[in-house]
Amino acid sequence: MIDDKDKRGIGSFTHLIWVLAYKTLKLKYKNSVLGFFWSMLNPLMYLLIFTFVFSKVFGDIDRYPLYALTGIVFWSFFSTSTIQITESLIDNSGVLKSINVPPIAFPLSAQLASIISLGFTLVPFTILMLLFGLEISWELIFFIPILLIFTGFTLGLSLIITSLNVYFRDMQLAWTSFLPAIFYSAPIAFTSELIPKEYLLLIKLNPLYYYINLLRDVVYHNRMPDGTNFLIGTVLAVVTFTIGFVIFKKLERGFVSQF
Amino acid sequence: MDNHIAIKAENLEVSFFIQRSGINNFKDFILTMGLKSPFEQKKVLKGFNLSIKKGECLGILGRNGCGKSTLLRTIAGIMKPQSGVLEVNGNVAPLMALGAGLEPELTGIENIKLVGVLMGMSRDELKNSIDKIVDFSELSELEINMQVKRYSSGMMSKLAFSIAAATDPEILIIDEALAVGDLGFRRKCADRINEIKDAGSTILYVSHHIAEIKNICSRAIFLKDGQVFQEGSVDDICDLYEKELVKNK
């Protein structure tokens, strides 16, 4: 992960990632008193809209706000991660042009910052979920491995978008336009049981299907995560991360000429 | 390997990958897919040869776009050569663009930590040198705790130079970075550069100020079209530089 030209050890590389993530978070929350509040506002808006619009349509879904919120939490983690990681390289082009620092430090620190951000928002969201009927059970511990594989997938995908975006700046625009397609084809506001059989395959092509269903297993149904889904999710994460990492490493040679 | 050599380049080739005109977004790339490659190589350094001894202070002169910055970036490890040999013995502190890595929204002290870590300082090194950096920068207690976006460009250069100079580099690269700052600070920078030089470090100095080059450097090279056009004593090269500039006017 560390470039041969760079003499940092693994210890100071990790330190660098933390310092950069800390900086990102600090900048995000510094200039607005309500900084923390803003990062929760977007998921809350989704929740509000869903509850008002869909709870009549999907009236037979038990504890609908809790059901929707589990999907929204993972969705906003996914969408903000991909966008912030993509921005991280371009935002730091000045640094990459004048200091010998491994480029991958920026996407990694952006990912770390968004995990910490998720951790912050989980506190109020857990309270909200308890109000909506969340039951505490030991299966909740599986949240951690599920988040881990989901992060692997998200980071891998982001590395692909990020490295291409350095060469073709409209990649970022293309991605933001593409995001709604992923959103509406993932079972966030609805359950896949409501989908006609012939379309179910289409829904399953969306990788988010697996991760959101896994999260729901433990948070909403209070049961062990589904084995098949967990396996698919893990394989997807490993494959995507490997591809993303290889592409990034291949393309990073030319980054400086593009800034 | 020769122990007295700090930097050695043999037949070094460094190029830029730039988009062929007309293809600079993904849409165009898709449209022309398979018809032509979206990139072309622009060679900046062509068969570049240079050897710099340890403890030497080399001035680098040349017209804009002749490859000075690319050479420095390659030595600093920021750009990778396509072919050829490049040996760099010792840790490099690049002072390429003024204030690179400084985050305007953070305070001076926070920036010292940030840039220090970016430059490769370890946690302990940083802890030990933070007072030294603040001291050298001549910024007051109030100023160092102020957001950098409120700094004047002179103050910014003081901070940037202080961080780079604090690393006790074996090879210090300076690319036109000292042009700003008040006279007192510039003199202090020159003193610090001499101190680094006396400690046995190698210095690469790019500037268009002939007086500065003459003041600091012990040898100079003149770059033209990505190659060493001539190397020699500081006075000879400075004369050549002046002549070339007049000729091309």
Side-chain angles (χ1 to χ4, degrees), chain A residues 8 26 97 167 170 258, chain B residues 17 19 26 73 110 118:
Chain A
R8 283 166 226 267
K26 182 145 195 183
K97 247 162 82 173
Y167 293 88
D170 55 348
Q258 300 300 324
Chain B
F17 284 96
Q19 272 92 347
F26 194 62
R73 284 201 180 112
E110 287 168 323
L118 281 172

Side-chain angles (χ1 to χ4, degrees), chain B residues 44-50 52 57-69 71 205-208 210 213 217 219-249:
Chain B
V44 184
L45 297 184
K46 308 153 193 163
F48 190 89
N49 293 302
L50 180 67
I52 304 168
C57 186
L58 183 75
I60 300 171
L61 289 159
R63 296 172 65 84
N64 298 126
C66 69
K68 295 188 299 285
S69 296
L71 171 66
Y205 197 90
V206 166
S207 181
H208 292 288
I210 286 183
I213 298 259
C217 301
R219 194 162 73 100
I221 58 172
F222 184 79
L223 294 194
K224 200 175 178 183
D225 300 326
Q227 281 177 323
V228 180
F229 183 70
Q230 199 169 331
E231 55 180 299
S233 74
V234 177
D235 290 327
D236 289 351
I237 299 296
C238 287
D239 288 347
L240 175 72
Y241 176 66
E242 276 171 341
K243 246 183 253 161
E244 282 282 323
L245 281 192
V246 175
K247 201 170 76 185
N248 281 307
K249 239 175 197 169

Side-chain angles (χ1 to χ4, degrees), chain A residues 119-240:
Chain A
F120 285 151
T121 50
L122 273 185
V123 179
F125 275 147
T126 309
I127 297 170
L128 208 57
M129 283 179 178
L130 283 169
L131 292 175
F132 293 148
L134 167 78
E135 282 161 37
I136 305 288
S137 65
W138 71 273
E139 283 94 348
L140 284 178
I141 197 83
F142 284 103
F143 173 74
I144 293 164
I146 294 169
L147 178 64
L148 192 76
I149 57 171
F150 190 39
T151 304
F153 170 75
T154 309
L155 181 58
L157 185 66
S158 306
L159 285 178
I160 300 173
I161 304 166
T162 307
S163 42
L164 288 176
N165 186 53
V166 176
Y167 293 88
F168 307 108
R169 296 294 161 91
D170 55 348
M171 202 59 210
Q172 198 175 342
L173 294 172
W175 177 249
T176 19
S177 324
F178 188 63
L179 271 174
I182 305 178
F183 180 80
Y184 286 107
S185 63
I188 294 169
F190 56 85
T191 78
S192 35
E193 282 96 63
L194 293 171
I195 303 295
K197 273 247 148 37
E198 57 266 39
Y199 294 116
L200 196 60
L201 186 73
L202 206 68
I203 300 291
K204 284 188 173 180
L205 280 177
N206 185 339
L208 256 52
Y209 168 90
Y210 304 97
Y211 301 106
I212 288 174
N213 275 348
L214 284 170
L215 181 68
R216 270 200 191 123
D217 280 340
V218 298
V219 175
Y220 179 77
H221 299 289
N222 295 105
R223 64 188 180 205
M224 292 279 289
D226 180 76
T228 322
N229 282 354
F230 196 84
L231 189 71
I232 296 175
T234 311
V235 171
L236 258 175
V238 171
V239 169
T240 316

Side-chain angles (χ1 to χ4, degrees), chain B residues 131-149:
Chain B
D131 289 333
K132 214 169 71 186
I133 297 173
V134 175
D135 206 43
F136 188 86
S137 70
E138 297 181 342
L139 296 168
S140 68
E141 179 84 27
L142 186 75
E143 288 166 334
I144 204 79
N145 289 309
M146 200 158 79
Q147 281 177 317
V148 165
K149 66 177 174 190

Side-chain angles (χ1 to χ4, degrees), chain A residues 90 163-171 251 254-259, chain B residues 15-29 32 36-42:
Chain A
I90 304 293
S163 42
L164 288 176
N165 186 53
V166 176
Y167 293 88
F168 307 108
R169 296 294 161 91
D170 55 348
M171 202 59 210
L251 294 182
F255 282 175
V256 174
S257 351
Q258 300 300 324
F259 288 141
Chain B
S15 7
F16 263 37
F17 284 96
I18 51 171
Q19 272 92 347
R20 215 174 274 280
S21 52
I23 309 176
N24 43 30
N25 57 40
F26 194 62
K27 187 191 75 191
D28 293 340
F29 175 60
T32 57
K36 51 182 173 180
S37 153
F39 295 102
E40 56 190 349
Q41 268 192 26
K42 185 175 170 269

